[in-house]
Amino acid sequence: MSAAAETVFLFDVDNTLLDNDRFQDDLRQELERAHGERACARYWEVFEQLRGELGYADYLGALERLRLQDLHDPTLFRTANWLIDYPFADRLYPHVLKVVEHVRQWGRAVILSDGDAIFQPRKIARSGLWDAFAGNVLIYVHKEKELADVERWHPAAHYVLVDDKTRILEAVKAIWGARVTTIFPKQGHYASQEPPRDGAPVDLAIDRIGDLLGHDLSKLTP
């Protein structure tokens, strides 16, 4: 648990700091190459079923379920290794690490992500983000429902939330109100699927995460 800070900057990971759409495209190509189009299509069907059951993306869980449908396919093990060893550092958006240092002028930087308890931490570590955020990493099933726990680990007078999903920004704004400044990077498929509604509580919209380097964020916090 951290000592209370004036401001804590909370960053989502997928399609906020890291191009997760590109990773999914690479995974789709690898599945087709190693297992064929039919198995690839089945993987994504299972993946979406699991997301509906669990509430988060479970890449390894979907592969495990696929394995149970074909217990005698050793090529699945190579795909598992491909997933675990994927070079996520190559998928960071430009200037992300500079952005993390930039915001530290005004407060603590923390990762606030959704995901499973194995692959999502691995992704954050492999990308270099775990070290960049000095281990300040929180991962939940539904992070917008865990704000009390966020406050417990990182108490602050004010929060700044950077997330590519406007529904998350709205949900957090509804709970924290004026205690949070919301920043919407228009990156990834969620950003195009969930543009801000008229009157939606997005305090700052930017085209890409690197644009934060041009902002004096002290003007966005009380």
Side-chain angles (χ1 to χ4, degrees), residues 119-169:
F119 190 66
Q120 192 68 2
R122 176 68 173 172
K123 176 193 295 184
I124 293 169
R126 287 280 293 169
S127 67
L129 291 172
W130 195 287
D131 289 339
F133 280 81
N136 290 320
V137 176
L138 297 175
I139 304 171
Y140 299 103
V141 176
H142 297 292
K143 60 191 175 187
E144 71 276 17
K145 298 180 181 180
E146 302 290 351
L147 299 186
D149 198 60
V150 173
E151 291 188 59
R152 181 172 71 90
W153 285 104
H154 296 284
H158 191 79
Y159 294 90
V160 177
L161 176 61
V162 187
D163 201 296
D164 66 298
K165 303 176 191 67
T166 55
R167 63 178 180 81
I168 297 293
L169 297 175

Side-chain angles (χ1 to χ4, degrees), residues 60-134:
L60 292 177
L63 194 63
E64 180 67 18
R65 285 204 179 179
L66 204 63
R67 178 206 182 197
L68 293 177
Q69 296 174 12
D70 188 355
L71 292 173
H72 304 105
D73 181 4
T75 63
L76 284 172
F77 307 138
R78 289 194 289 272
T79 303
N81 285 332
W82 183 94
L83 272 169
I84 291 293
D85 295 332
Y86 184 85
F88 282 106
D90 296 341
R91 295 293 169 257
L92 291 180
Y93 285 119
H95 311 303
V96 157
L97 300 182
K98 291 181 180 178
V99 167
V100 177
E101 289 304 312
H102 181 66
V103 304
R104 284 199 173 109
Q105 298 177 76
W106 303 286
R108 184 183 304 131
V110 176
I111 283 177
L112 178 61
S113 177
D114 288 338
D116 71 302
I118 299 172
F119 190 66
Q120 192 68 2
R122 176 68 173 172
K123 176 193 295 184
I124 293 169
R126 287 280 293 169
S127 67
L129 291 172
W130 195 287
D131 289 339
F133 280 81

